[in-house]
Amino acid sequence: MKYSVFSLFRHSLSGHKNWEPAWREPAPKAEYDIVIVGGGGHGLATAYYLAKEFGLRNVAVLEKGWLGSGNIGRNTTIIRSNYMLPGNNPFYELSMKLWESLEQDFNFNAMVSQRGVLNLCHSDPQRDAFARRGNAMRIDGVDAELLDAHAVREMYPFFDFDNPRFPIKGGLLQRRGGTVRHDAVAWGYARGADQHGVDIIQHCEVKGIKIEKGKAVGVETSRGFIRCKKLALATAGNSSETAAMAGLKLPVESHVLQAFVSEGLKPFIDGVVTFGAGHFYVSQSDKGGLVFGGDIDGYNSYARRGNLPMIEHVIEAGVAMIPALARVRVLRSWGGIMDMSMDGSPIIDKTPVGGLYLNTGWCYGGFKATPASGYCFAHLIARDEPKDVASHYRLDRFRRGYLIDEKGQGATPNLH
Amino acid sequence: MLIKCPHCGTRPVEEFTFLGDARPRRPASNDPASMEQWFDYVYLRDNPRGRMDEYAHHAGGCRSWLVVSRSTETHEVFATVTARDYAASRRKGRAS
Ligand SMILES: Cc1cc2nc3c(=O)[nH]c(=O)nc-3n(C[C@H](O)[C@H](O)[C@H](O)COP(=O)(O)OP(=O)(O)OC[C@H]3O[C@@H](n4cnc5c(N)ncnc54)[C@H](O)[C@@H]3O)c2cc1C
Ligand SMILES: [Zn+2]
């Protein structure tokens, strides 16, 4: 059923008691053409585009928990395409373009809000670096504006501009960046995929991968063996574990990233702002809570909760940027497990195992990538060749020395 | 998370900086023939769920390099030794 103002009106006549579930809950079949492991944003988007754009409908998504229980339901909802390197920017810009038409495409309100993403700079060298990044973005056809302190002050007069240690000198603004309701992205893709015939199977954990003559032919799950012609892994923070089932060792570590929401406030911050002298990013949800986050805790973790020192650190950075935050109360904090790759960039590729495809390494930034990741992964699975904008995200780039290292920091799993 | 430094006693986690898995061994040779070993050492990770030996620098204390044995699943800390003792006990393990 299509959601529209008419369906809303019709259902209001019956007191909204007859809405159908947004997707079916089928029992797993014995065999599919394509099995996708992981019902997060990327797995669901992949299934949706496989069915809708590539006409492959005999597809199942296996999720060990419930839909949205992973990072897709835990992130700070920021979308942007303000990268610098050629391997990255066209990919993230494709994602931004897909966000811009996503709600019409999958007929679901995902609250895509292009409210602008502003990165603050606090020194002259940092401004130079932003000018360079902004220019690189514009070469790729992405919008970028370099603002001086005065222009930032017009937007956010209550920032601590004259902070003696971290004065605000200006910022790089991407007006098309913003936020999207994260859960709705999972639900919209799930519903869209389901409508195109994809089976979405929750509470179905993959425990083993069966390989015959060098080719993946099926998965052992908590709900029995499921055979498949092609197998696609989109398991984010659990990527090392699922890849190990096929004998692969990945250039990935799992780390915990925390996020926070404050009590509800009146309209205060209407865009997304990031502090440039520490790691802190904030926006305000439509309910009024400030949603913010910072760095990963810094030690390997599969526990979806962090420790208190990082909470203190993030809030210190926030108060250095916005002194008024000191009086705001934090309502909740939580954590998600990030698939931190060794150069800070993702992997969308085939693997040495036949019929096995891999999507991982999203670090802290995979939410904004959800539409393009799904589209490009579907392209790879359907056609066995990478989509042009994702052609740099190769698994063997580490061995070959073709890292995509935005920060220029080298081999460390702490990149962003 | 509280970590018991062999020199300083029980200290809070924010005094420590972590540097990942302590088990991989740096390849001994610079010979191009050992490139596979280097690739594995620099880029690939076991990334275990559960017990893991992890390098930690007690930057906010005695500045020693330590190896913390900890669960990545529950954050429970099992043991902490100096990196020197860790290396020595591994050498002994290899000899025997
Ligand atoms: C606190 C936090 C803040 C973030 N903020 C942002 C942000 O502002 N902007 C941004 O772009 N990105 C952000 N991210 C990153 C982004 O959320 C992730 O990169 C992205 O969601 C990962 O892809 P996914 O949605 O497919 O992952 P997930 O939703 O984690 O999906 C993976 C799924 O695989 C399932 N799975 C794993 N193993 C198995 C198995 N064996 N069998 C079956 N299923 C399995 C898991 O249960 C999970 O549901 C943030 C992340 C966190 C944690
Ligand atoms: Zn010490």
Side-chain angles (χ1 to χ4, degrees):
Chain A
M1 192 232 337
K2 197 166 169 352
Y3 292 152
S4 69
V5 66
F6 304 107
S7 63
L8 190 62
F9 176 71
R10 210 171 49 245
H11 280 280
S12 72
L13 298 177
S14 54
H16 295 294
K17 291 204 180 91
N18 299 320
W19 288 101
E20 294 156 23
W23 56 83
R24 298 163 296 134
E25 293 214 26
K29 291 194 274 184
E31 179 168 4
Y32 292 90
D33 289 342
I34 301 167
V35 164
I36 298 169
V37 187
H42 294 215
L44 294 166
T46 304
Y48 174 75
Y49 292 117
L50 274 172
K52 179 164 177 284
E53 302 294 331
F54 299 94
L56 297 169
R57 290 156 188 243
N58 188 14
V59 175
V61 178
L62 310 183
E63 165 54 48
K64 73 173 171 182
W66 69 94
L67 281 195
S69 56
N71 293 337
I72 187 66
R74 293 166 186 267
N75 62 70
T76 42
T77 79
I78 301 166
I79 63 165
R80 54 187 174 89
S81 53
N82 56 0
Y83 284 71
M84 193 170 77
L85 298 180
N88 272 333
N89 226 4
F91 171 84
Y92 286 101
E93 180 55 15
L94 170 67
S95 214
M96 187 58 80
K97 294 221 170 75
L98 290 169
W99 284 122
E100 285 169 336
S101 58
L102 182 66
E103 295 167 295
Q104 289 70 29
D105 191 64
F106 67 20
N107 179 233
F108 201 87
N109 180 6
M111 295 162 64
V112 177
S113 165
Q114 292 180 293
R115 54 181 73 183
V117 172
L118 174 65
N119 303 138
L120 298 178
C121 62
H122 308 268
S123 66
D124 293 343
Q126 201 173 19
R127 185 173 44 212
D128 290 349
F130 278 7
R132 180 174 174 228
R133 176 141 62 97
N135 285 334
M137 289 162 66
R138 292 168 75 125
I139 288 171
D140 283 320
V142 183
D143 66 307
E145 287 167 54
L146 194 63
L147 305 184
D148 60 12
H150 178 74
V152 175
R153 210 184 273 265
E154 297 269 280
M155 296 173 75
Y156 298 105
F158 48 86
F159 287 178
D160 192 3
F161 285 87
D162 305 318
N163 183 308
R165 225 171 135 203
F166 309 122
I168 295 171
K169 298 262 184 174
L172 186 64
L173 175 66
Q174 185 186 16
R175 288 193 196 273
R176 286 163 64 243
T179 59
V180 182
R181 169 125 195 250
H182 52 5
D183 306 306
V185 174
W187 300 333
Y189 275 124
R191 174 171 168 270
D194 177 88
Q195 285 179 343
H196 285 94
V198 171
D199 281 359
I200 292 166
I201 299 159
Q202 302 181 63
H203 307 290
C204 180
E205 179 173 0
V206 171
K207 296 173 179 263
I209 295 176
K210 185 158 186 200
I211 297 174
E212 279 171 6
K213 297 190 191 120
K215 193 176 172 307
V217 295
V219 283
E220 296 292 350
T221 79
S222 54
R223 296 176 67 175
F225 181 71
I226 303 174
R227 191 165 265 285
C228 62
K229 299 199 176 80
K230 291 182 174 179
L231 181 63
L233 305 179
T235 50
N238 294 301
S239 294
S240 296
E241 290 194 299
T242 51
M245 294 172 192
L248 302 176
K249 190 172 165 191
L250 300 181
V252 167
E253 288 188 10
S254 298
H255 284 255
V256 59
L257 177 67
Q258 305 192 61
F260 312 86
V261 67
S262 78
E263 60 189 331
L265 303 171
K266 288 189 175 172
F268 179 39
I269 295 177
D270 60 1
V272 178
V273 193
T274 75
F275 187 48
H279 210 175
F280 177 80
Y281 34 91
V282 61
S283 65
Q284 188 166 16
S285 82
D286 292 3
K287 282 196 287 187
L290 298 178
V291 179
F292 55 97
D295 266 319
I296 51 176
D297 269 37
Y299 42 82
N300 292 54
S301 178
Y302 284 91
R304 291 195 279 197
R305 61 189 156 72
N307 273 286
L308 288 170
M310 186 46 76
I311 301 183
E312 188 177 18
H313 179 79
V314 168
I315 290 171
E316 276 170 0
V319 173
M321 178 171 119
I322 312 172
L325 280 189
R327 299 182 48 192
V328 174
R329 278 166 294 200
V330 174
L331 214 57
R332 288 186 288 126
S333 70
W334 62 92
I337 299 305
M338 321 302 318
D339 33 337
M340 302 299 296
S341 70
M342 295 302 284
D343 63 355
S345 296
I347 295 160
I348 302 178
D349 203 359
K350 299 183 212 179
T351 68
V353 178
L356 182 69
Y357 302 80
L358 180 67
N359 176 315
T360 188
W362 293 99
C363 302
Y364 319 11
F367 177 64
K368 70 174 96 67
T370 307
S373 167
Y375 192 95
C376 295
F377 200 33
H379 186 288
L380 177 75
I381 298 163
R383 306 228 169 121
D384 265 318
E385 59 185 56
K387 170 109 180 81
D388 48 5
V389 297
S391 59
H392 294 257
Y393 296 150
R394 306 298 303 276
L395 174 58
D396 68 355
R397 69 174 182 266
F398 301 91
R399 178 185 268 115
R400 290 181 297 121
Y402 284 84
L403 273 63
I404 312 171
D405 181 358
E406 286 272 336
K407 278 198 179 167
Q409 276 181 317
T412 144
N414 297 326
L415 302 171
H416 169 199
Chain B
M1 227 152 74
L2 295 172
I3 291 169
K4 194 167 167 202
C5 171
H7 303 302
C8 313
T10 302
R11 308 294 306 168
V13 67
E14 67 262 38
E15 291 186 0
F16 300 82
T17 306
F18 294 89
L19 192 76
D21 200 339
R23 277 168 311 172
R25 285 166 193 263
R26 190 183 165 90
S29 155
N30 280 336
D31 184 343
S34 63
M35 271 311 142
E36 267 318 292
Q37 289 166 32
W38 278 102
F39 164 63
D40 191 286
Y41 175 74
V42 175
Y43 292 114
L44 301 186
R45 295 291 185 269
D46 288 326
N47 195 18
R49 178 194 290 272
R51 193 173 177 128
M52 173 171 175
D53 296 344
E54 194 174 26
Y55 281 122
H57 184 220
H58 195 184
C62 62
R63 305 192 137 246
S64 302
W65 276 100
L66 309 173
V67 173
V68 179
S69 180
R70 184 178 61 89
S71 166
T72 60
E73 196 164 22
T74 63
H75 294 169
E76 182 183 355
V77 177
F78 305 113
T80 308
V81 296
T82 63
R84 175 195 294 256
D85 286 348
Y86 185 80
S89 70
R90 284 219 305 191
R91 263 195 305 275
K92 229 186 295 159
R94 199 164 38 175
S96 63

